[in-house]
């Protein structure tokens, strides 16, 4: 259950018995398994041309709608760019026209009477879809005509794939979502976030995401620098929302010593979430 009362059903019931840390862990696993199965179902419904978008938006959770939209956008753009390699020069313009029509339909929906949850779902979805259209505009302007061009590879791309390790183990599980950017591939976290709003993505945000995803791929950390109030922390949090990762923000004061920092890292390593250390330079090293 999200703070805004949006609910997502677990695909299998979880027994709340035994020690609290055990059933909480089971509940978390249930959430990951459920979201993975529901994302595939949501995306399959999104890909059906006869399904009305209004029904699709009302039926699924906001997080699944956004991720499914981004998977579809990635597939459409990749296909269009591959067609352009085969001399179909207007393929990307056709996809952009379809994207504009989709945004128009969503804008018409938001004018109708909606519940608070449905409205917040649509606002976040439109925010991301408008950025997707802006990327298509930029690629058309810069004459991007290949699926291996940096203008396309530098975007945050979402794909559903079969996990080779799961196939080798003989497991028949739903398709797995991965997040790609430049030459990096990262896992989609399947952490349920509710409808907590999304940032408007600017070219600066895109560059910030590119740096952070590359840093994580190389098993390093990122340190966005800049004046106060410019959106460094919010950008990290929004990347976490996009990749469905749990982000914990710590505000570092001068009273923070290496022992308490060690305890924080210990907790982050155990639960696998991201840590965002605000005002990191305040920590007294001496």
């Amino acid at each position: 259950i999200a703070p805004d009362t949006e609910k997502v059903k677990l695909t299998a019931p979880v027994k709340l018995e035994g020690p609290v840390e055990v059933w909480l862990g089971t509940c978390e696993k249930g959430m990951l398994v459920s979201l993975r199965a529901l994302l595939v179902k949501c995306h399959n419904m999104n890909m059906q041309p006869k399904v009305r978008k209004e029904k699709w938006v009302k039926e699924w959770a906001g997080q699944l709608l956004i991720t499914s939209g981004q998977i579809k956008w990635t597939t459409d753009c990749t296909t269009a760019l591959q067609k352009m390699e085969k001399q179909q020069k207007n393929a990307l313009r056709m996809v952009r026209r379809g994207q504009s029509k989709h945004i128009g339909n969503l804008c018409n929906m938001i004018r109708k009477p909606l519940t608070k949850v449905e409205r917040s779902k649509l606002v976040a979805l439109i925010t991301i879809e408008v950025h997707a259209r802006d990327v298509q505009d930029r690629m058309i302007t810069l004459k991007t005509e290949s699926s291996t061009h940096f203008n396309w590879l530098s975007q945050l791309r979402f794909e559903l794939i079969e996990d080779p390790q799961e196939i080798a183990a003989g497991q028949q599980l739903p398709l797995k979502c991965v997040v790609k950017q430049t030459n990096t591939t990262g896992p989609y976290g399947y952490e349920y976030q509710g409808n907590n709003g999304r940032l408007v993505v600017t070219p600066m945000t895109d560059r910030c995401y590119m740096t952070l995803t590359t840093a994580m791929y190389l098993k390093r950390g990122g340190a966005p620098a800049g004046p106060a109030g410019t959106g460094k922390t919010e950008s990290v949090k929004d990347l976490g929302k996009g990749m469905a990762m749990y982000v914990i923000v710590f505000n570092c004061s001068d009273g923070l010593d290496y022992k308490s920092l060690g305890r924080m890292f210990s907790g982050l390593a155990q639960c696998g979430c991201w840590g965002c250390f605000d005002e990191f330079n305040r920590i007294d090293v001496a």
Side-chain angles (χ1 to χ4, degrees), residues 29-48:
K29 281 177 192 165
M31 172 190 72
L32 303 178
V33 170
S34 300
L35 280 185
R36 180 168 172 176
L38 290 171
L39 177 59
V40 174
K41 287 180 184 176
C42 174
H43 185 60
N44 288 341
M45 188 174 174
N46 186 22
M47 295 303 282
Q48 290 172 13

Side-chain angles (χ1 to χ4, degrees), residues 145-160:
E145 295 180 353
S146 166
S147 57
T148 55
H149 197 287
F150 185 73
N151 289 340
W152 171 238
L153 293 180
S154 62
Q155 301 304 319
L156 208 59
R157 310 183 309 282
F158 291 73
E159 291 177 13
L160 283 175

